Amino acid sequence: MTVRMTELSWTDYDRKVRDENPVVFVTVGSHEQHGPHLPMCCDEVIPTAIAEKVAERIGALVAPSIVFGYKSQVRSGGGNHIPGTISLDAANLIGTIKDVICELARHGIRRVVLMDGHYENTMMIAEGVDLALRDLRRDGITEIKIMRIGYYEFTSPDAEKAVWPDGFPTWALEHAGVMETSLMMHLYPELVHADRLPSHPPADFPPYDVFPMTWENWPSLPKDGALVASTTASAAKGKLLFDEYVQGIAKAVTAEFGLKGTAQGG
Ligand code: ZN
Ligand code: MN
């Protein structure tokens, strides 16, 4: 049976919820420029691909994604002024996250994993979860447990050395960098323009933000929207990272929700 909730009939979904108390993954992504070489869907499709693989392994479900994220910031995503990026106001994203959690809870779901694919979403997710839990508590639903996972936080020191042998540039600068490019080469090679990989040095940002976000206010922002070079990206590195994320996240989710004997396999 498919792990995609959206492909199930409501009757099959309802039966699974009642019989198995399944974990449900929800990606919170973004529609954001990722340089000239990657599609704008990276922050949604990468965590969703990881969630689907984990879900197959542990008997979980994957809900439809929240595809729009919080506004791209210059020092972590190039900025919200770049064409193609579609973002939500914070209150709308927080409300959407809260509504989706409350709807899943109404179905009887008590185990939710929010898969965060976009750095700027972090605190919006924390707030959406907090508001949902507050409402649910008032409705008498107290046995619900929610995880937030930034998949990239499952990168081990060994993988870091293998993927960035010349040194890791920081997660903020990795926007459209070696990690995302490699993962996309592994998962969706037809969407990667391998002939356009940025080769410029890492963005040299000041230690502060300037608003409004414009090209004029940010002369140190690379004009292609990528914050770092990705010429050392490869599908092999993407597979290494993908396998590591699936393994690590399956293990963490199994442990947090006390699932029994489900997360084996390499
Ligand atoms: Zn991204
Ligand atoms: Mn992003």
Side-chain angles (χ1 to χ4, degrees):
M1 197 163 71
T2 178
V3 298
R4 293 180 182 154
M5 178 179 163
T6 201
E7 294 177 358
L8 293 174
S9 71
W10 83 265
T11 50
D12 288 340
Y13 169 69
D14 188 49
R15 195 174 311 117
K16 186 169 171 87
V17 172
R18 309 233 152 255
D19 293 350
E20 299 176 28
N21 188 18
V23 173
V24 174
F25 288 86
V26 185
T27 290
V28 189
S30 78
H31 191 274
E32 182 186 41
Q33 69 80 22
H34 274 72
H37 60 304
L38 293 176
M40 294 190 279
C41 60
C42 294
D43 290 356
E44 193 273 317
V45 298
I46 292 171
T48 299
I50 295 167
E52 288 181 356
K53 186 62 83 177
V54 174
E56 283 166 18
R57 217 176 263 188
I58 68 171
L61 291 173
V62 180
S65 298
I66 298 171
V67 296
F68 299 119
Y70 182 60
K71 292 157 194 165
S72 179
Q73 300 296 300
V74 175
R75 291 192 290 151
S76 49
N80 216 63
H81 58 300
I82 301 179
T85 298
I86 303 173
S87 305
L88 297 179
D89 286 354
N92 293 334
L93 178 59
I94 290 166
T96 303
I97 292 165
K98 174 185 163 234
D99 287 352
V100 170
I101 293 169
C102 289
E103 286 291 85
L104 291 171
R106 176 173 63 80
H107 307 159
I109 297 293
R110 295 293 181 267
R111 298 162 161 175
V112 179
V113 180
L114 296 168
M115 287 287 279
D116 188 359
H118 177 66
Y119 186 77
E120 289 86 338
N121 289 341
T122 310
M123 290 308 150
M124 314 303 145
I125 294 176
E127 180 67 359
V129 168
D130 191 58
L131 296 185
L133 291 177
R134 193 170 67 187
D135 274 16
L136 291 170
R137 209 156 45 232
R138 287 171 182 168
D139 291 346
I141 295 173
T142 52
E143 70 278 30
I144 190 162
K145 187 169 179 180
I146 298 174
M147 296 174 75
R148 185 202 73 88
I149 290 179
Y151 68 88
Y152 45 86
E153 295 186 74
F154 282 77
T155 310
S156 68
D158 283 351
E160 189 178 305
K161 261 187 232 115
V163 174
W164 295 274
D166 301 324
F168 176 65
T170 77
W171 282 124
L173 285 179
E174 256 296 300
H175 173 72
V178 174
M179 179 201 69
E180 287 180 310
T181 304
S182 296
L183 284 165
M184 290 300 286
M185 285 172 158
H186 171 56
L187 294 168
Y188 302 100
E190 69 282 6
L191 298 181
V192 180
H193 299 278
D195 55 331
R196 300 184 198 159
L197 300 184
S199 57
H200 52 69
D204 184 19
F205 291 134
Y208 53 82
D209 295 312
V210 183
F211 301 97
M213 287 184 257
T214 60
W215 294 109
E216 294 71 34
N217 279 341
W218 285 91
S220 50
L221 172 63
K223 293 292 176 276
D224 62 9
L227 302 185
V228 72
S230 50
T231 41
T232 60
S234 70
K237 287 182 179 179
K239 181 176 179 350
L240 183 152
L241 290 170
F242 183 78
D243 291 347
E244 177 157 293
Y245 295 153
V246 168
Q247 182 74 18
I249 290 169
K251 198 171 157 209
V253 171
T254 298
E256 282 299 331
F257 292 111
L259 311 179
K260 284 182 219 84
T262 39
Q264 325 82 345

